[in-house]
Amino acid sequence: MSGVYSIAIDLGGTIIKIGLIQEAEIVRFSTIPSDSERGLLHMLPKMERAIDALLLEEGIGGADLSAIGLAFPGMVNPMECRVISTNDKYDDACHIDLCRWADDHWGIPLVLENDARLAVIGEWLYGAAKGSGNVVMMTIGTGIGTGVILDNRPLVGYHHQAGSLGGHLVIDYRGRLCSCGNVGCVEAMASSFFLGDIIRSNDRVSPGFKEQASDWNFKRLFELMRQGDTDATIICEECMNVWSAAIVSYIHAYDPEVVVLGGGIMRSADIILPYINRRVDDRAWTPVDKVRIVLSELG
């Protein structure tokens, strides 16, 4: 039967994930390094080859595809199928006709949406927030993104950016300059992209630890925290405090039933979830009941 498959693409800051989907189930899956600083046009031929390889492995042709869904790490206009603003990732995307790209290569339509909004839709329909009508999702990784479900509808807004800029809420107006041009954003204060600066600017960590700032990543830092390393613990707790403060703001702004946490950093959920739950429980103004904070089920 034709049109029973679709392609899902997640344009990450470091990895592009591509899935062949049949009736909401992932049939085949592949990843390629993104090299996002070189732009999206540079990556399109690699994405084409990866998609064609998935089709070949499954033994299907383009006639069996119904559409491509593409999750983009920036502001998009889904009605016009175009990227409207980027932030140091795939900065040429505003000038690329992605719908034409899909039509030229496979003769199918392309649906474009912000990556964090698609993430929260996935968790709301199929994952950790299934059955809840009011949801916030926070993705923590190279950057920090958010998506919101409000009264059983994805929050979009007049400029298609409502609920998507949780990584760029200001939590310290005297803080670090963010790549978006603002100062003290959640992303600037506690994301992988800024981790080296976060370590070097912390007066509590040792000089030797600062010298290795460019070599550290969150996976290693949380491993060291488990082992009782003082410097790693200082940095991890500082970042978890930032994430907790952001979540309190999301709770106050959107009044969700549940907050879902996802992204690569949540591989250390055994440390992060209990810490954030305690801190948010202590600080969020929730007189009726506590907001559940849970781990993404869909990755």
Side-chain angles (χ1 to χ4, degrees), residues 48-118:
E48 292 161 18
R49 290 193 292 271
I51 291 170
D52 289 340
L54 289 177
L55 299 180
L56 183 62
E57 290 167 6
E58 191 63 18
I60 64 175
D64 295 302
L65 286 179
S66 60
I68 291 179
L70 193 149
F72 188 82
M75 295 297 103
V76 307
N77 183 330
M79 306 303 295
E80 298 178 4
C81 192
R82 64 184 180 91
V83 178
I84 57 178
S85 184
T86 62
N87 184 20
D88 284 346
K89 297 172 191 161
Y90 311 106
D91 284 338
D92 61 346
C94 297
H95 310 293
I96 298 174
D97 188 339
L98 290 165
C99 287
R100 181 174 179 179
W101 170 70
D103 186 57
D104 285 348
H105 288 278
W106 299 282
I108 55 176
L110 182 141
V111 178
L112 180 68
E113 186 52 282
N114 171 264
D115 56 353
R117 183 175 292 136
L118 286 177

Side-chain angles (χ1 to χ4, degrees), residues 136 138 140 239-252 256-261 272-287 289-294:
V136 172
M138 180 183 191
I140 310 172
C239 290
M240 289 190 290
N241 291 343
V242 170
W243 302 332
S244 300
I247 291 168
V248 169
S249 294
Y250 306 153
I251 290 171
H252 291 172
E257 301 164 62
V258 58
V259 175
V260 181
L261 300 184
I272 297 171
L273 268 181
Y275 187 99
I276 286 181
N277 266 293
R278 288 193 301 270
R279 198 164 177 91
V280 172
D281 280 353
D282 287 343
R283 288 163 173 76
W285 192 358
T286 52
D289 52 33
K290 299 295 185 182
V291 176
R292 293 184 296 123
I293 303 174
V294 300

Side-chain angles (χ1 to χ4, degrees), residues 194-230:
F194 288 94
L195 185 55
D197 292 336
I198 292 166
I199 293 170
R200 283 186 288 267
S201 64
N202 194 302
D203 294 334
R204 297 168 58 206
V205 301
S206 66
F209 196 81
K210 290 185 180 183
E211 289 176 2
Q212 302 177 63
S214 299
D215 299 327
W216 297 121
N217 57 46
F218 275 110
K219 178 182 178 182
R220 181 58 179 149
L221 290 179
F222 279 105
E223 288 173 353
L224 290 172
M225 183 179 179
R226 289 187 186 91
Q227 298 168 19
D229 184 274
T230 300

Side-chain angles (χ1 to χ4, degrees), residues 8-13 15-19 34 69-73 90 115-116:
I9 305 172
D10 178 19
L11 289 176
I15 295 175
I16 295 176
K17 305 167 189 173
I18 301 174
S34 70
L70 193 149
F72 188 82
Y90 311 106
D115 56 353

